[in-house]
Amino acid sequence: MILSLLFLFASSVQQHGSQAESSVSSKLHHTTMKQQNGGHNSKHEKIITVSGEGTVQSPDFPHTYPRNRLLVWRLVAAGDGARIQLTFDERFGLEDPEDGICKYDFVEIEEPGEGTVLGRWCGSESTPGKQVSQGNQIRIRFKSDQYFPSKPGFSIHYSLLPAGRPLISGPLSPAPPALQSVDVLTDAVAGFSTVEEVMKYLEPDRWQQDVEELYKPSWQVLGKSFMHPKKSRGAVDLNLLREEVRLYSCTPRNFSVSLREELKRTDTIFWPNCLLVQRCGGNCACCAHRCFDCHCAPTKITKKYQEVLLLRYRGGGRGILKSLTDIALEHHEECDCVCKTHSQG
């Protein structure tokens, strides 16, 4: 009986010890995995307090980085009003983009407070430019998928910019077109005058090739383009279409005005009683889509003098006074669409 009790007690102790060891091992494994992934919380975000200089880089830099990795660093500047400056090492190389978009392996920089992506980079053709945070924080995110890891990866040197210190790098680099929202890209493209300018903005390195490809026949569509001659440069001139819209939207136009109403001289008769003036006219349908109220307004006004016959009744029944006189009328020489914001309303 005593031997049986001792055997049961020993088995219980051994089982309890194994469970404890398994629990400790699980915790250690979980902690190790978090450390390997740069994790600080459930979002795998590692917080770094920036009081001087340091470096954040892809694992094994400058050698091939591992697959299936997600690393996030949030850099927080020490000191009120301080900002953070990031400088990429010239040795930069991640998996190439697809259709100009970094889909698979990339490094991304974001303003945590605004949720604004300052840039996403991949490939190896060029090194990203210097970045400076607008606030006291900035987030760096690195992602690699399970295919085609590259080298050398990336290395980012960070440094502290004390409050009041001017930016050395100038304004922040805007996000590349592929990362911009539809609204932002719409406004950006609308500001260009030619197809060439649009293509140069979208793909600075290959814009000429893209322009040529625009006018190549598409054999996937066997409709009118198959029955009629091939497309050629100038068959449909998009630049001309855009210019026509610009010329006839909000421009100076000839209007006839009543001189009595224009000059507010209701006691006077003019001959001719109407004259032609240039005034802004046309709609503003091409204003920025986020404009609350867009209207055509003059941006340059001049006064032009015109000699006319003036007729005015004399007092006391003495007949009509007849004289030639110069009158000044406003002419609009330049016009533009002006956006009226909510605050101005």
Side-chain angles (χ1 to χ4, degrees), residues 119-180:
R120 176 186 288 187
W121 299 274
C122 60
S124 58
E125 292 185 359
S126 61
T127 304
K130 191 173 292 184
Q131 306 291 319
V132 179
S133 67
Q134 294 188 12
N136 70 327
Q137 298 185 26
I138 200 164
R139 180 180 286 122
I140 302 171
R141 187 161 71 105
F142 166 65
K143 177 184 175 297
S144 65
D145 65 3
Q146 59 182 335
Y147 303 107
F148 309 118
S150 185
K151 66 177 182 179
F154 69 90
S155 179
I156 302 175
H157 176 81
Y158 61 81
S159 58
L160 187 70
L161 288 179
R165 179 176 171 183
L167 298 181
I168 299 175
S169 59
L172 288 172
S173 302
L179 292 179
Q180 295 174 4

Side-chain angles (χ1 to χ4, degrees), residues 19-33:
Q19 291 176 349
E21 182 180 355
S22 175
S23 176
V24 172
S25 176
S26 177
K27 290 180 179 180
L28 288 174
H29 177 72
H30 182 64
T31 303
T32 302
M33 288 300 294

Side-chain angles (χ1 to χ4, degrees), residues 48-107:
I48 300 175
T49 301
V50 179
S51 57
E53 299 183 359
T55 301
V56 168
Q57 59 190 29
S58 57
D60 303 327
F61 178 86
H63 305 291
T64 304
Y65 53 82
R67 300 185 178 96
N68 285 329
R69 192 61 65 93
L70 174 62
L71 302 176
V72 183
W73 300 270
R74 180 152 62 99
L75 279 58
V76 181
D80 296 334
R83 289 168 296 178
I84 303 168
Q85 182 170 270
L86 304 179
T87 305
F88 281 80
D89 191 294
E90 292 183 356
R91 296 168 295 175
F92 180 86
L94 302 175
E95 185 179 351
D96 289 333
E98 181 177 296
D99 298 328
I101 302 175
C102 297
K103 298 180 179 179
Y104 309 113
D105 298 356
F106 59 81
V107 58

